[in-house]
Amino acid sequence: MSLPSDYLERVYAGVLGKLIGVYLGRPFEGWTYAKIMEKLGPIDYYVHERLGQHLVVTDDDVAGTFTFLRALEDYGVSPDLSSEDIGKSWLNYLIEHRSILWWGGNGNSTEHTAWLNLKRGISAPASGSIATNGVTVAEQIGAQIFIDGWAMVAPGKPELAARLARAAGQVSHDGESVHAAALWAAMEAEAFVSKDIDHLIDTGLSVIPRDCLIARLIADIRRWHAENPDWLTTRQLIQNTYGYDKFPGNCHVVPNHALMIMAILYAPHDFQAAQRIVNTAGWDTDCNAGNVGCLSGLMLGLDGIEAGPDWRGPVADRLLISSADGGNGINDAVRIAYYVANLGRQLAGEAPLPLPKDGARFHFSLPGSVQGFRPHMRTNANPGLRVGNCALGASRALDIAYTALAPGQVAAATTPTFAPPAVTEMRTYELMATPTVYPGQTVRARVVAPKNNSGAVDVRLTLKVFGEKDRLVDVDGKPAQLAPGAETVLEWRVPEFDGQPIGEIGIAITTQAQRADGHVLVDWLRWDGAPEVTLRRPKADSDFWRMAWVNGVSFFSKLFPPSFRISQAVGEGMVSHGTREWTDYTVKTDLTVHLGGYGGLAVRVQGLRRYYGIRLVRDGRLQIVKVRDEAVSVLAETPFDFAFEKAVPMEVRVSGSTISAVVEGTRLEARDDSDTTLADGGIGLVIHEGALSTDSVAVSAA
C-alpha cells in the first residue's frame, strides 16, 4: 500500500494528539472519577495551573514512545525488527532510577522488573513474559502506552503495526497487556485510511485472539454504548465490571483500555469530547488520554485538533525525552514528526524526506508549527507581542507580531535549548538531557519584514544563559536593521559563558523610532560547526552546569574540589555530554583514576552502550575500544604506566573513521571502517567500579 499523500502532516497531528492528551491528563493521573468531579469537574481543557503544576513535563508516555522507536534506526529499518533488539535499545537508552520509566522496584513496576531481567541477561521477550514475571506484573498498562510510534511508521498497515507493537510490548509485558497494545496499534495504523470507528475496532480485534479478555471487554462496551446514550452510564458499568478492584497490581491494563474504547465510541470525531470523556473518567489519565489523543489526531488530522479550543498554543510543539542520549532530550513535535515519518517511508521502501531549508533545526514548515518558540516576557516586553505561524512564499515561517513597539521595549520569541529551570519541580520523572547549542558554534537565522510593516526595527539573535543561582540571563547578539520589505541573515558565533549551559535561543526585536507595528518572519534558524567550549564548574554559584551532563553513574559529586568526580558501584558507569550533531572534534582533559578496573574518555557517545572509549586499564594498558551493545571490541592497545591518583593528560581526536589519542605522550590510533561505525555523538567520562575525576573537559574542532 502506498503512503497517504498527507502522511507527514497526519503523523504530526498524531504526535500533537499524543502530547495534548498526556499533558492534559498528567496533573490528575491516578484520580478516580469521583475525585475528579469533586475537585475539578468535567475536564474540558488544561487544568495544570489550577493544580499548581507545569504543562510541559517529563513523562514516561512521551519519552518511552519516541525512544523505544529508535530501535528501528539502531538495528535496521525492517518489518522483522525483533523483541530482542528492542530490548537492547532499553539497555542503551535507559538509566536506572533516572530516565523514562517509573522505577518503582522489582515486582512493583513492570518496566523496572523487565529492565532488571534484561540487565541480568534475560533477553526479550522472556524479559517481560508471564513465565518470568507472573501474570500480575506482566499485565499492567505499560505495553499499551508506548505503542503509538509503531502505528505511525505503518500507515494503513495494521498487521505490521500490531506485529511491531507486540514485539515492543513483549520486552516488558505479556498476555492481555500485549493484546491491548497490538489492538490499539492496529487501530491507529488503520486510522490513516479510515474514520469509521467500528471498522477501526474490528481491525484491532482481527490481530488479537477472539477469546481473550480484551476482546470480550470490547464486546461488552460496544453493547453498553448501543444501549446507553450517556457515556456516564457506560463508565459506571465499566467500573462495576472491569474496575481497578477487579484486577491486581498498581495499574492494570484492562480498566484503562476499557475507558479508551468507551471514549472513542462516544466521541469518534470530536477531539475535545474524546479528551473530556477519557480524562473525566479517571484512573491512568495521562496514558489513556495520550493514546486516545494520538488516534484522534491520526484520524481527524490537524483540522480535528483545531476544531475546538486552542490545544496547540500552550504546548507550542514542546516535548522532553529523558534518555541516555542527552542531545535528543530537548525536542519538538515537528522534529519528531519528520523522524517518525522518515522511518515509515523507509519501511515502505521509499526514500526519506530531506529536512526542509537545507536541514535547519527550526524551519516551521508544518501548518501551525512554532517548534517551541513562545513570547519571551522580559520585564520590558512589548505588551502586544504574539507568536504564530504564517505563509512565507511557498513555505511557512515563524511569525513574531508586535503592536506599538516603542523605544525601551523588546519583542522577543525564544525556544528551549536545554532543560527549563522548572525541571527541578517536575515530579516522578527526572530529565536526562544535554544542551543543544554550544559556544563556538555559529548560529544563523533568515528574517523577513513584510512590506506593510510600519517603521524599521532592529533584529538580533538572543540567548538565555544560566547564571548565578541558576537564573536565566539574557545575552543579545549584534542588531541588524530591518526596514519594511527587507530581509537579512543574522549570524553570531556563540561566545563562552564560563561553562554555563545555554537554556534558550531566539530572536529579539527593538526599535529606535517612536512606534513600530508589524511582524518579523523567521524563515529558519540553525547552528553549525563543532563546539569550542570548556566544560567545568563556573565561578557563579549554580548547579545546571552539572545537570547538563547525562548522569549514568552511581554518584556524581558536586562537593569534591575537581569540577567532575564520578563513582560507580557495580559495572561500568558514564556521564556524557553533547549531541548527535557532533561528528569530528577534539577533546582535551586531565583524568585521574582514583580506583577502578579502568577509566577514561568516551567519544561519539550514542547512549550507555554505544561509543568509542579511550581506556586507562589498571593492568597497565592503554586501549581504544568500540562498545556496541554487549560487544566490546579492542581496536588498538599499547602498554601504559597506569597509576591511581595520577592526573593523566589526554587528547583525543575523532575525524571520519579515525580515532587518535595522545595520552601522557603515548600515541595510539585506530580506524573503524565497519558497517556499524559510529559517525556522531557527544563525549563522556567512563569509570568501572571505582572513581574518576577531572577539573575540565575542552571540546574543539578536529
Side-chain angles (χ1 to χ4, degrees):
M1 180 179 292
S2 61
L3 295 172
S5 59
D6 59 351
Y7 176 44
L8 173 63
E9 187 174 311
R10 294 278 286 284
V11 169
Y12 179 44
V15 173
L16 287 172
K18 175 81 172 182
L19 296 179
I20 291 164
V22 169
Y23 297 153
L24 178 60
R26 179 81 173 101
F28 49 93
E29 177 186 13
W31 289 21
T32 64
Y33 166 74
K35 183 176 180 180
I36 290 169
M37 291 302 295
E38 176 190 355
K39 303 290 186 181
L40 299 170
I43 306 299
D44 287 309
Y45 196 62
Y46 302 117
V47 298
H48 60 288
E49 291 181 344
R50 291 162 62 184
L51 296 174
Q53 297 185 30
H54 298 280
L55 178 63
V56 177
V57 295
T58 47
D59 191 271
D60 58 338
D61 300 73
V62 174
T65 297
F66 300 118
T67 295
F68 302 147
L69 191 64
R70 299 182 72 184
L72 279 169
E73 174 188 4
D74 292 343
Y75 298 100
V77 181
S78 166
D80 299 319
L81 181 71
S82 70
S83 185
E84 181 178 0
D85 283 340
I86 300 171
K88 291 177 182 176
S89 74
W90 280 49
L91 291 176
N92 186 50
Y93 294 118
L94 292 179
I95 304 171
E96 188 177 18
H97 301 305
R98 297 196 181 107
S99 66
I100 298 182
L101 305 179
W102 172 54
W103 299 94
N106 195 15
N108 296 331
S109 162
T110 300
E111 293 82 6
H112 193 176
T113 304
W115 182 88
L116 289 169
N117 290 336
L118 292 167
K119 197 76 171 175
R120 287 193 288 262
I122 302 173
S123 60
S127 55
S129 69
I130 289 173
T132 302
N133 302 326
V135 174
T136 297
V137 170
E139 290 193 339
Q140 301 302 301
I141 197 173
Q144 178 174 270
I145 71 179
F146 299 136
I147 56 83
D148 305 283
W150 306 107
M152 288 190 276
V153 300
K157 300 177 182 178
E159 295 85 2
L160 173 58
R163 202 209 72 75
L164 292 170
R166 192 172 292 278
Q170 287 175 326
V171 174
S172 50
H173 292 73
D174 201 355
E176 299 297 336
S177 181
V178 175
H179 297 331
L183 178 139
W184 199 264
M187 289 174 57
E188 289 186 334
E190 190 70 1
F192 280 97
V193 297
S194 174
K195 295 182 180 180
D196 183 334
I197 287 298
D198 281 316
H199 171 68
L200 298 187
I201 294 175
D202 288 340
T203 300
L205 288 169
S206 73
V207 302
I208 66 172
R210 292 183 179 182
D211 60 347
C212 71
L213 180 56
I214 291 293
R216 300 198 303 272
L217 169 155
I218 290 173
D220 283 342
I221 297 172
R222 286 176 123 172
R223 186 178 73 255
W224 296 335
H225 168 254
E227 296 170 350
N228 302 290
D230 189 346
W231 70 267
L232 290 170
T233 304
T234 298
R235 190 215 66 81
Q236 188 61 52
L237 288 167
I238 289 172
Q239 181 171 317
N240 295 345
T241 312
Y242 297 106
Y244 266 34
D245 59 317
K246 308 297 189 297
F247 298 93
N250 179 67
C251 190
H252 202 277
V253 68
V254 167
N256 293 291
H257 190 82
L259 297 181
M260 289 161 47
I261 296 294
M262 177 188 71
I264 61 168
L265 280 171
Y266 279 94
H269 302 123
D270 187 328
F271 186 91
Q272 183 186 24
Q275 288 296 312
R276 179 194 305 118
I277 292 169
V278 78
N279 279 288
T280 308
W283 295 326
D284 199 357
T285 46
D286 63 333
C287 299
N288 300 342
N291 285 135
V292 169
C294 184
L295 175 64
S296 296
L298 294 174
M299 181 172 59
L300 305 175
L302 295 175
D303 288 344
I305 294 175
E306 293 172 348
D310 178 19
W311 296 109
R312 297 178 62 183
V315 173
D317 291 325
R318 294 171 294 159
L319 64 93
L320 302 170
I321 298 176
S322 181
S323 82
D325 188 0
N328 198 47
I330 310 305
N331 225 307
D332 66 74
V334 174
R335 296 185 72 231
I336 291 294
Y338 269 88
Y339 178 76
V340 172
N342 277 335
L343 289 176
R345 291 179 64 86
Q346 292 176 74
L347 272 174
E350 299 191 16
L353 294 168
L355 293 180
K357 303 175 184 178
D358 196 28
R361 184 177 182 93
F362 302 110
H363 51 80
F364 319 107
S365 298
L366 294 178
S369 63
V370 295
Q371 295 193 256
F373 280 82
R374 294 176 297 152
H376 171 27
M377 303 311 294
R378 304 186 187 193
T379 54
N380 56 343
N382 174 245
L385 176 62
R386 303 183 312 278
V387 175
N389 182 285
C390 69
L392 179 61
S395 184
R396 307 194 68 82
L398 184 75
D399 179 6
I400 306 175
Y402 48 90
T403 303
L405 180 67
Q409 292 184 338
V410 180
T414 59
T415 188
T417 55
F418 183 46
V423 73
T424 57
E425 303 166 14
M426 296 179 189
R427 60 185 176 90
T428 307
Y429 301 105
E430 190 172 357
L431 177 60
M432 291 287 103
T434 62
T436 55
V437 63
Y438 286 86
Q441 295 180 315
T442 299
V443 182
R444 297 179 180 87
R446 179 176 180 253
V447 292
V448 179
K451 292 180 180 179
N452 59 354
N453 276 5
S454 171
V457 292
D458 290 332
V459 184
R460 68 196 78 202
L461 291 160
T462 187
L463 302 173
K464 293 176 75 67
V465 182
F466 282 90
E468 186 80 26
K469 303 296 183 182
D470 295 314
R471 289 187 288 267
L472 290 171
V473 178
D474 296 317
V475 181
D476 292 336
K478 292 182 179 179
Q481 190 174 77
L482 202 61
E487 65 174 74
T488 191
V489 174
L490 304 172
E491 185 172 315
W492 186 17
R493 189 173 187 273
V494 180
E496 277 263 27
F497 296 108
D498 191 32
Q500 294 280 18
I502 298 167
E504 297 181 20
I505 194 168
I507 302 292
I509 306 161
T510 57
T511 182
Q512 300 177 30
Q514 187 173 356
R515 171 178 173 146
D517 299 275
H519 306 253
V520 167
L521 309 184
V522 184
D523 184 17
W524 48 261
L525 190 151
R526 65 182 302 143
W527 50 85
D528 300 285
E532 298 280 345
V533 61
T534 299
L535 304 166
R536 60 175 182 267
R537 177 188 284 114
K539 298 180 179 66
D541 181 20
S542 55
D543 198 41
F544 268 65
W545 64 274
R546 189 177 62 92
M547 293 171 59
W549 290 70
V550 170
N551 183 2
V553 295
S554 304
F555 188 70
F556 188 5
S557 176
K558 59 180 179 180
L559 301 176
F560 285 83
S563 299
F564 309 105
R565 178 151 177 156
I566 60 175
S567 172
Q568 181 66 11
V570 178
E572 180 181 285
M574 174 169 59
V575 296
S576 60
H577 194 95
T579 79
R580 294 285 294 267
E581 284 69 45
W582 295 12
T583 54
D584 296 345
Y585 53 84
T586 298
V587 191
K588 294 181 181 179
T589 188
D590 290 349
L591 293 183
T592 300
V593 178
H594 305 282
L595 181 66
Y598 59 82
L601 187 68
V603 293
R604 290 187 177 163
V605 175
Q606 299 180 0
L608 293 178
R609 307 204 316 167
R610 287 182 171 229
Y611 66 87
Y612 296 113
I614 296 80
R615 292 179 172 178
L616 307 171
V617 187
R618 182 172 181 169
D619 64 7
R621 290 175 292 158
L622 173 66
Q623 295 179 326
I624 297 178
V625 301
K626 177 183 179 180
V627 178
R628 191 175 189 273
D629 300 328
E630 66 279 357
V632 178
S633 306
V634 177
L635 303 181
E637 71 176 0
T638 189
F640 186 79
D641 184 18
F642 179 93
F644 290 138
E645 303 297 340
K646 175 184 177 183
V648 177
M650 180 179 292
E651 180 175 335
V652 178
R653 182 173 181 263
V654 281
S655 180
S657 59
T658 301
I659 308 101
S660 56
V662 179
V663 182
E664 204 177 41
T666 300
R667 297 180 178 273
L668 194 63
E669 184 172 292
R671 289 182 61 86
D672 181 12
D673 295 312
S674 69
D675 292 338
T676 59
T677 187
L678 305 175
D680 49 52
I683 58 101
L685 303 173
V686 178
I687 187 64
H688 182 269
E689 296 185 0
L692 173 146
S693 70
T694 182
D695 198 48
S696 67
V697 182
V699 184
S700 59

